[in-house]
């Protein structure tokens, strides 16, 4: 004991520790008071956010970006916490607030129910009375109204200020009338007590809102889950070859990082050393690990396999693919579809319908039985039945699940209206190269004019293409390397947009390009080269010409393999009743050969990049709703012109701003999944609106007392229960969207389809 005491007293900082402990005890009560004050402030902010959902979304987005700018300054988990609090945290805050108010209000409602004379009579029980017990019902009911009901009144204020009454206004009207009626029963004892209906109405409303917030939070977790993919720290390789652990936020472009087996890739970059398989399913939806070797790109947040990789960082922070995906998912969750706008408008209409029905009910019952408590009860019941809780949940929940399901399958939706329009597409135009085909050309044949050697022609073409990164240029250079043909130097290189390239080689002006180049140069094609080109076209090969000093001297046949998936995509779109068109800058013969093999309906060939949008307009002028599938760069005008612009490409292209929908994988099959998901989502929206609005159409007349002559009357509490059941049905129906089948049929030869990924 003494040793222990001496150690404590003599230990360095021991007195400081005692001071800290004393300070903590002195301020304990103050801290608790501050915590309670903060909790009240947070609840008030949540109520304001609930009343202004759009402003809340903007605030959350702003807080995320603000946090992103400061993350890493002394803590490793900033990225996770920032996103969690910014987006999912907002929904979780709403959920916890309504959950807490529901349980407290329900607990306070128990005495009201026990001392309700009507319930005692119905259920055949009694409770002991005591002096003052007659005040239990009014006192506890007022507390429940103040704690559980007033928040709905607060959220209705902005609707009334904006002159756009909706769900909160209707709820507020219902509980306010019930509250006033209940207090009146105390002043005028001849009226029947109404307290148990008031508290159960508030409890059920809180329960419905809690369920709604819980469902929306779970369905809106896509951004939070994406945020968790990025590791907190990275192993940076120093100049002397050692490794140091640093926060991911401290990485800069050009840094070299070590990615150990099983670790997450800390940033976008390029593999410099090592071989491994990387799991990219959480980013691209690709279920199989992707093999990575030197010069291959990797995406931050993906998970390394069994090998070790050294990666040169290419993008960090807000520039990474993952950050781009998160922005797109957020945009999709905050945007509204046409159906959602219609549902919001319907809620406003329902307010006036409820008022009208309440007025008619009041007049009719007053005429029938004179004005008494029964009239008020009928009016309150009508207002309760009219509450559009289910209608308010019908569309947002489907949208949230749709966004999550799309993201899990590599589809990032930037425009909700475009996602909804995809179900009505009459025609979809595909860019050929790299979309329907592999996009990897190779020289499979060549022909020259008399007096020109094939190796010399190939060397000349390779020289002109030496500074170009186009796939055709790479194919020509690879062909020259395979033949060990020495390549002369070229100067004054120039790319001619949509036509080819030119350069000076050994004092000669040399061009390499396709049919559009010959049209520009007004060059004539010798007969034997024309026959060569025709034959190549019949074999679905692209022909590239070599022109020296204005004379056409050689032609190269380039092959681009059709992707296996393309056959399945065209068939699946035809099964959905959608016309398939193809757009390419290749010759008509090449385009026709590919189209014939795939069964494509419409072909646009020899189209320059700046003219692609005109082809989209051409189909639109025929009254068709047109989708355009391209790489999002050269096809930007066409993507913008289309009714639904779909950018397709590798993960590094997800931030394309010209498209409405971005398909992370370079896989045309996702276009079919997009259409199928659009159809399924819209069907769920329609079903939910029917469930929500149809319930009101049926229940309002019933609440007004249409069946009163045969003894059927709905009390406000029963009306609230029916309303909540409608909300639950809508929520369950929306959840069924997760079971939609997005798989693509197998090929005739039995090649399996890529499995679709479920929603989070």
């Amino acid at each position: 004991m003494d040793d222990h005491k001496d150690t404590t007293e003599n230990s360095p900082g021991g007195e400081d520790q005692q001071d800290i402990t004393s300070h903590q005890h002195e301020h304990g009560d103050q801290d608790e008071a501050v915590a309670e004050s903060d909790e009240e402030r947070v609840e008030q902010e949540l109520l304001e956010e609930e009343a202004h959902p759009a402003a809340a979304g903007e605030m959350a987005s702003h807080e995320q970006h603000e946090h992103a700018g400061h993350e890493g300054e002394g803590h490793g988990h900033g990225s996770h916490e920032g996103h969690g609090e910014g987006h999912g945290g907002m929904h979780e805050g709403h959920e916890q607030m309504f959950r807490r108010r529901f349980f407290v209000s329900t607990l306070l409602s128990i005495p009201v129910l026990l001392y309700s004379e009507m319930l005692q009579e119905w259920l055949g029980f009694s409770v002991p009375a005591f002096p003052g017990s007659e005040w239990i019902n009014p006192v506890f009911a007022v507390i429940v109204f103040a704690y559980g009901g007033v928040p709905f009144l607060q959220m209705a204020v902005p609707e009334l200020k904006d002159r756009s009454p909706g769900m909160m206004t209707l709820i507020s009207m219902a509980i306010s009338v019930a509250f006033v009626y209940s207090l009146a029963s105390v002043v005028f004892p001849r009226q029947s007590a109404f307290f148990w209906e008031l508290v159960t109405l508030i409890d059920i409303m809180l329960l419905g809102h809690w369920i709604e917030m819980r469902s929306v939070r779970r369905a809106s977790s896509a951004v939070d889950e994406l945020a968790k993919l990025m590791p907190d720290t990275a192993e940076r390789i120093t100049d002397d070859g050692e490794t140091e652990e640093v926060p991911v936020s401290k990485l800069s472009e050009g840094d070299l990082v070590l990615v150990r087996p099983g670790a997450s890739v800390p940033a976008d970059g390029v593999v410099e050393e090592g071989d491994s398989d990387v799991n990219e399913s959480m980013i691209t939806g690709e279920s199989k690990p992707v093999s990575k070797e030197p010069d291959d790109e990797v995406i931050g947040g993906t998970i390394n396999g069994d090998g070790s990789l050294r990666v040169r960082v290419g993008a960090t922070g807000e520039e990474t693919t993952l950050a781009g995906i998160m922005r797109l998912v957020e945009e999709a969750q905050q945007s509204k579809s046409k159906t959602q706008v219609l549902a919001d408008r319907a809620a406003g209409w329902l307010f006036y319908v409820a008022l009208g029905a309440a007025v008619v009910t009041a007049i009719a019952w007053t005429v029938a039985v004179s004005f008494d408590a029964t009239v008020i009860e009928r009016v309150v019941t009508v207002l309760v039945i009219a509450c559009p809780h289910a209608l308010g949940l019908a569309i947002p929940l489907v949208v949230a699940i749709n966004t999550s399901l799309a993201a899990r399958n590599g589809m990032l939706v930037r425009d909700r209206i475009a996602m909804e329009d995809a179900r009505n597409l009459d025609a979809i135009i595909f860019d050929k190269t790299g979309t329907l085909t592999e996009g990897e050309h190779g020289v499979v044949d060549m022909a020259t004019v008399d007096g020109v050697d094939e190796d010399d022609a190939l060397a000349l073409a390779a020289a002109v293409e030496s500074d170009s990164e186009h796939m055709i240029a790479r194919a020509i250079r690879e062909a020259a390397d395979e033949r060990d043909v020495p390549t002369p130097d070229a100067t004054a290189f120039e790319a001619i947009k949509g036509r080819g390239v030119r350069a000076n080689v050994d004092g000669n002006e040399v061009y390499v390009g396709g049919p559009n180049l010959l049209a520009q140069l007004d060059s004539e094609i010798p007969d034997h080269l024309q026959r060569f080109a025709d034959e190549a076209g019949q074999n679905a090969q692209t022909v590239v010409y070599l022109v020296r000093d204005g004379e056409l001297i050689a032609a190269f046949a380039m092959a681009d393999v059709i992707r296996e998936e393309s056959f399945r995509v065209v068939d699946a779109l035809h099964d959905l009743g959608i016309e398939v068109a193809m757009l390419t800058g290749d010759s008509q013969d090449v385009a026709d050969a590919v189209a014939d093999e795939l069964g494509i309906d419409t072909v646009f060939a020899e189209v320059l990049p700046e003219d692609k949008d005109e082809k989209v307009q051409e189909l639109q002028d025929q009254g068709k709703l047109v989708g355009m599938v391209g790489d999002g760069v050269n096809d930007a005008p066409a993507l913008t012109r289309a009714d639904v612009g779909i950018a397709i490409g590798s993960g590094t292209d997800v931030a394309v701003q010209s498209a409405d929908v971005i398909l992370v994988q370079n896989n045309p099959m996702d276009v079919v999944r997009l259409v199928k998901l659009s159809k399924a989502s819209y069907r769920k929206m329609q079903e939910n609106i029917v469930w929500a609005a149809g319930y009101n159409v049926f229940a309002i007349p019933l609440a007004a007392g249409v069946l009163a002559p045969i003894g059927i009357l709905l009390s406000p509490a029963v009306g609230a229960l029916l309303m909540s059941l409608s909300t639950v049905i809508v929520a369950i129906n929306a959840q069924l969207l997760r079971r939609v089948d997005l798989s693509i049929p197998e090929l005739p030869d039995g090649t399996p389809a890529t499995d679709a990924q479920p929603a989070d």
Side-chain angles (χ1 to χ4, degrees):
M1 291 287 294
D2 293 339
D3 292 341
H4 177 75
K5 180 178 179 181
D6 292 341
T7 303
T8 303
E9 291 178 350
N10 298 327
S11 62
E15 295 181 2
D16 292 340
Q17 182 62 40
Q18 291 179 356
D19 291 341
I20 291 173
T21 304
S22 175
H23 178 81
Q24 290 174 340
H25 283 297
E26 290 175 3
H27 292 273
D29 295 338
Q30 180 180 348
D31 291 342
E32 290 179 5
V34 171
E36 291 178 1
S37 176
D38 287 345
E39 184 176 336
E40 293 176 359
R41 176 182 57 79
V42 169
E43 284 203 0
Q44 183 62 34
E45 290 177 354
L46 290 173
L47 290 173
E48 293 174 359
E49 289 173 357
E50 179 68 14
H52 295 281
E58 293 175 5
M59 182 182 300
S61 178
H62 171 74
E63 289 177 355
Q64 285 179 4
H65 290 297
E66 190 176 77
H67 182 87
H70 294 83
E71 69 179 31
E73 297 178 5
H75 58 86
H77 295 273
S79 59
H80 292 186
E81 294 175 357
H83 288 291
E85 295 174 3
H87 191 88
M90 182 179 69
H91 292 301
E92 186 175 359
H94 290 151
E95 177 190 344
Q96 295 303 321
M97 181 188 71
F98 283 107
R99 177 179 180 272
R100 181 169 56 251
R101 289 182 183 257
F102 165 71
F103 281 117
V104 172
S105 297
T106 301
L107 187 64
L108 293 173
S109 299
I110 294 176
V112 180
L113 299 177
L114 291 177
Y115 280 87
S116 169
E117 294 180 1
M118 184 176 296
L119 286 182
Q120 290 180 24
E121 181 180 347
W122 285 356
L123 302 179
F125 72 93
S126 62
V127 290
F130 56 87
S133 61
E134 68 273 12
W135 291 101
I136 288 181
N137 278 4
V139 169
F140 278 88
V142 168
I143 296 174
V144 171
F145 179 81
Y147 183 71
V150 168
F152 291 107
L153 273 63
Q154 293 174 326
M155 290 185 287
V157 172
E159 292 183 357
L160 295 175
K161 285 183 178 179
D162 296 338
R163 296 181 180 180
S164 57
M167 180 169 59
M168 295 304 156
T169 307
L170 286 176
I171 295 174
S172 300
M173 286 180 60
I175 62 177
S176 296
V177 172
F179 180 66
V180 172
Y181 180 89
S182 300
L183 292 182
S185 69
V186 177
V187 180
F188 304 101
R190 287 181 298 176
Q191 292 184 202
S192 60
F194 205 59
F195 292 110
W196 78 270
E197 289 94 337
L198 170 64
V199 296
T200 52
L201 174 60
I202 292 174
D203 294 341
I204 291 172
M205 292 298 181
L206 289 171
L207 175 62
H209 231 64
W210 172 31
I211 293 173
E212 176 183 345
M213 289 299 102
R214 185 184 181 193
S215 299
V216 171
R217 174 185 61 83
R218 287 183 172 182
S220 301
S221 63
V223 173
D224 301 332
E225 294 303 316
L226 287 172
K228 295 176 184 177
L229 295 178
M230 190 63 73
D232 299 318
T233 60
E235 291 190 67
R236 183 166 58 190
I237 300 176
T238 61
D239 294 337
D240 58 5
E242 300 295 325
T243 61
E244 58 178 355
E245 187 171 303
V246 298
V248 170
S249 57
K250 296 296 183 182
L251 292 178
S252 302
E253 185 176 347
D255 283 349
L256 186 64
V257 295
L258 173 64
V259 184
R260 298 184 185 276
S264 295
V265 179
D268 291 4
V270 178
V271 176
E272 284 207 353
E273 184 180 337
D275 296 280
S276 184
D277 291 334
V278 176
N279 183 357
E280 298 183 343
S281 60
M282 66 292 294
I283 303 293
T284 65
E286 174 58 54
S287 57
K288 296 180 180 179
V290 181
S291 177
K292 300 294 181 181
E293 56 187 25
D295 295 332
D296 285 343
E297 295 181 347
V298 291
I299 304 173
T302 54
I303 301 175
N304 187 25
D306 296 332
S308 179
L309 298 175
R310 282 172 167 74
V311 176
R312 183 71 63 181
V313 175
T316 61
E318 290 298 305
E319 302 301 320
T320 62
T321 296
L322 186 59
I325 292 175
M326 293 172 66
R327 285 194 298 272
L328 292 171
V329 173
E330 287 171 0
E331 288 177 17
Q333 289 177 335
Q334 293 173 13
S335 64
K336 288 187 176 182
S337 69
K338 294 176 181 177
T339 315
Q340 188 173 352
V341 171
L342 177 61
D344 294 341
R345 192 176 304 155
W349 293 338
L350 193 56
F351 168 76
Y352 297 105
V353 170
L355 279 183
V359 170
V360 171
T361 300
I363 295 174
W365 278 86
T366 300
V367 171
V369 300
S370 75
F371 186 80
D372 58 12
T374 303
V375 176
I376 300 298
E377 183 177 343
R378 289 302 96 211
V379 171
V380 172
T381 306
V382 168
L383 293 174
V384 169
I385 290 292
C387 289
H389 239 162
L391 189 61
L393 179 63
I395 305 306
L397 187 53
V398 174
V399 169
I401 296 174
N402 169 288
T403 302
S404 175
L405 189 60
R408 288 283 296 168
N409 284 277
M411 296 176 281
L412 303 176
V413 183
R414 296 185 61 243
D415 187 342
R416 294 297 330 162
I417 293 179
M419 177 63 172
E420 192 171 306
D421 285 343
R423 79 187 194 282
N424 289 326
L425 287 175
D426 300 304
I428 296 180
I429 303 176
F430 287 88
D431 184 55
K432 180 183 79 71
T433 304
T435 302
L436 295 176
T437 63
E438 294 287 355
E440 294 295 331
H441 284 73
V443 178
V444 295
D445 200 1
M446 61 183 300
T448 61
V449 297
D450 293 339
V452 177
D453 182 73
E454 287 189 357
D455 285 352
D456 292 340
L458 189 58
L460 199 58
V464 176
E465 298 282 16
S466 59
D467 289 340
S468 175
E469 288 302 318
H470 193 277
M471 63 184 69
I472 289 179
R474 291 196 298 269
I476 291 176
R477 292 198 300 268
E478 289 174 1
D481 290 340
E482 290 175 0
R483 292 196 181 195
D484 292 328
V485 175
T487 304
D489 295 331
T491 59
F493 173 84
E494 177 187 359
I496 307 172
K497 187 176 180 181
R499 292 176 172 81
V501 295
R502 68 164 297 280
N504 292 331
V505 182
D506 295 335
N508 299 312
E509 186 178 40
V510 183
Y511 291 84
V512 177
N516 289 327
L517 174 66
L518 299 185
Q520 177 182 325
L521 298 178
D522 198 21
S523 299
E524 294 185 2
I525 305 178
D527 291 341
H528 72 287
L529 290 186
Q530 184 63 62
R531 288 192 298 272
F532 173 82
D534 292 341
E535 184 177 343
Q538 293 173 4
N539 295 323
Q541 298 168 352
T542 299
V543 178
V544 176
Y545 300 96
L546 176 67
V547 179
R548 181 177 60 189
D549 293 333
E551 180 186 359
L552 179 58
I553 62 173
F556 305 93
M558 320 290 293
D560 186 7
V561 180
I562 296 176
R563 304 175 61 149
E564 285 187 358
E565 301 93 334
S566 299
F567 294 94
R568 194 153 67 242
V569 169
V570 174
D571 289 343
L573 290 176
H574 283 160
D575 290 342
L576 292 171
I578 299 175
E579 175 186 341
V580 181
M582 185 180 71
L583 188 151
T584 178
D586 289 342
S587 66
Q588 189 70 51
D589 291 339
V590 172
D592 287 340
V594 173
D596 289 343
E597 190 167 354
L598 289 174
I600 289 175
D601 306 294
T602 305
V603 177
F604 300 108
E606 301 180 18
V607 181
L608 297 176
E610 59 266 27
D611 297 332
K612 288 184 176 181
D613 63 321
E614 295 180 2
K615 302 304 179 184
V616 175
Q617 182 69 53
E618 186 176 318
L619 290 182
Q620 289 174 330
D621 290 342
Q622 299 174 18
K624 298 175 180 177
L625 196 71
V626 180
M628 172 66 195
V629 184
D631 61 14
V633 182
N634 294 329
D635 302 319
L639 290 170
T640 303
R641 172 81 67 179
D643 298 288
V644 180
I646 305 169
I648 185 170
S650 63
T652 55
D653 294 328
V654 295
V656 176
Q657 296 300 311
S658 55
D660 303 309
V661 181
I662 294 89
L663 306 181
V664 179
Q665 298 184 78
N666 188 13
N667 189 342
M669 287 195 300
D670 289 337
V671 177
V672 182
R673 291 195 177 98
L674 173 67
V675 175
K676 295 178 74 172
L677 180 58
S678 175
K679 289 178 179 291
S681 299
Y682 187 72
R683 185 165 56 250
K684 285 299 175 190
M685 290 179 184
Q686 287 181 312
E687 292 171 357
N688 275 1
I689 287 181
V690 169
W691 272 113
Y695 152 81
N696 290 103
V697 170
F698 167 78
I700 287 178
L702 198 61
V706 172
L707 299 182
I710 61 175
I712 297 179
L713 284 175
L714 289 181
S715 71
V718 174
L721 179 61
L722 292 177
M723 180 277 300
S724 296
L725 288 176
S726 174
T727 301
V728 171
I729 291 173
V730 164
I732 293 174
N733 188 51
Q735 295 294 332
L736 294 178
L737 178 62
R738 300 177 185 275
R739 302 170 63 181
V740 62
D741 181 15
L742 298 181
S743 61
I744 312 299
E746 294 185 355
L747 289 171
D749 62 1
T751 303
T754 303
D755 292 334
Q757 300 296 315
D760 294 328

